[in-house]
């Protein structure tokens, strides 16, 4: 069965650079969530979208922005990267508000 | 403020025995709870969920119990298998206020052959 696809799987950026993470939800899923997991921490909710509209917002820094496109894929744009942004970034998708998010494999971002 | 807590960072169990992973929450508005299993360098994999209208949900070797009065849920795995060794996260949401899920800090389960 198709799963949530995230790209890239690994990304290395320098401080103050920008990064774009992409998420392709499970087919027919219209809700996308973004989570950040730092080393030894629990996943922290960043932002979610339902039907291409922002649905909920968590601890997403102002330097980050995200959107969901007409094909339901989502992109997380991160600017002015800081060392503390190094983390695993997970995307999850669900069908409507079915309330069971299925996660992708994650993107490991390393800021040097 | 950690609204979902897993107070045991690690747990070791002999193969064939029962594994019990615990989770506590503080927000009485949470009405849907999930357990995820996570291997290193992979995304969390959904295991089992429970709605607040139930106190038990079973799926094969996995059973989740919910005690709303104690704001406590637990995941029972029986019999435990070496392949169950992973980090287990519980998550909760108050669905009617949005779809933000709150995660616990995880419990690393090791099943010893």
């Amino acid at each position: 069965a198709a799963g949530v696809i995230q790209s890239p799987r690994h990304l290395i950026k320098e401080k103050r650079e920008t990064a774009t993470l992409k998420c392709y939800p499970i087919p027919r899923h219209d809700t996308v969530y973004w989570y950040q997991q730092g080393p030894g921490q629990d996943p922290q909710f960043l932002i979610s979208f339902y039907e291409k509209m922002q649905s909920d917002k968590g601890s997403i820094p102002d330097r980050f922005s995200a959107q969901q496109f007409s094909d339901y894929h989502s992109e997380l744009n991160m600017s002015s990267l800081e060392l503390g942004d190094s983390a695993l970034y997970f995307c999850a998708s669900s069908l409507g508000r079915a309330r069971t998010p299925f996660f992708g494999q994650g993107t490991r971002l390393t800021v040097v | 403020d950690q609204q979902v807590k897993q107070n045991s960072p690690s747990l070791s169990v002999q193969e064939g025995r029962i594994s019990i992973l615990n989770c506590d929450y503080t927000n009485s508005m949470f009405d849907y709870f999930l357990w995820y299993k996570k291997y290193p360098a992979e995304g969390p994999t959904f295991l089992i969920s429970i709605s607040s209208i139930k106190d038990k949900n079973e799926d094969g070797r996995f059973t989740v119990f919910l005690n709303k009065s104690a704001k406590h849920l637990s995941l029972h795995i029986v019999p435990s298998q070496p392949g169950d060794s992973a980090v287990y996260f519980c998550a909760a949401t108050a669905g009617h206020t949005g779809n933000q899920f709150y995660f616990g800090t995880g419990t690393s389960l090791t099943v010893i052959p």
Side-chain angles (χ1 to χ4, degrees):
Chain A
V4 177
I5 306 296
Q6 290 187 246
S7 69
R9 290 294 309 277
H10 303 273
L11 189 59
I12 300 175
K13 290 285 185 178
E14 295 188 354
K15 284 194 305 182
R16 293 179 289 278
E17 283 193 317
T18 61
T20 297
L21 309 185
K22 297 185 179 182
C23 171
Y24 297 87
I26 292 171
R28 296 192 300 117
H29 281 194
D30 50 15
T31 304
V32 168
Y33 315 76
W34 284 98
Y35 281 83
Q36 176 193 58
Q37 186 179 21
Q41 297 180 2
D42 54 300
Q44 293 292 318
F45 174 74
L46 292 178
I47 195 167
S48 64
F49 294 87
Y50 169 65
E51 279 292 344
K52 294 157 277 185
M53 300 283 288
Q54 182 179 307
S55 175
D56 209 350
K57 194 170 182 180
S59 53
I60 184 169
D62 292 340
R63 299 178 288 108
F64 294 6
S65 65
Q67 57 181 323
Q68 186 178 28
F69 294 86
S70 58
D71 63 352
Y72 295 102
H73 94 273
S74 178
E75 295 183 5
L76 177 66
N77 299 294
M78 311 160 73
S79 62
S80 302
L81 287 169
E82 301 173 357
L83 295 178
D85 296 329
S86 296
L88 268 170
Y89 289 83
F90 290 108
C91 170
S93 73
S94 66
L95 179 61
R97 309 248 178 158
R99 307 166 74 191
T100 300
F102 292 87
F103 283 79
Q105 298 281 57
T107 294
R108 179 173 292 283
L109 172 67
T110 304
V111 181
V112 297
Chain B
D1 180 30
Q2 192 75 24
Q3 299 193 47
V4 178
K5 300 177 184 178
Q6 293 174 256
N7 293 319
S8 298
S10 63
L11 175 68
S12 291
V13 172
Q14 288 286 339
E15 181 179 4
R17 298 289 188 98
I18 183 171
S19 295
I20 301 176
L21 297 99
N22 294 303
C23 179
D24 298 290
Y25 60 95
T26 58
N27 189 341
S28 59
M29 300 301 290
F30 287 152
D31 59 359
Y32 191 63
F33 306 87
L34 308 93
W35 283 95
Y36 286 87
K37 175 181 178 179
K38 186 179 180 302
Y39 294 114
E42 292 187 11
T45 301
F46 170 71
L47 270 179
I48 193 168
S49 63
I50 188 166
S51 166
S52 60
I53 62 173
K54 293 185 174 182
D55 54 19
K56 177 183 174 181
N57 189 26
E58 190 172 353
D59 184 3
R61 296 185 298 114
F62 302 92
T63 303
V64 56
F65 295 91
L66 176 62
N67 183 333
K68 290 184 288 294
S69 60
K71 296 192 182 67
H72 176 84
L73 66 156
S74 61
L75 174 68
H76 292 211
I77 307 173
V78 56
S80 301
Q81 300 173 354
D84 296 330
S85 298
V87 177
Y88 289 78
F89 289 95
C90 67
T93 185
H96 69 284
T97 63
N99 55 6
Q100 179 174 346
F101 289 79
Y102 296 85
F103 281 80
T105 49
T107 296
S108 178
L109 173 66
T110 301
V111 180
I112 304 165

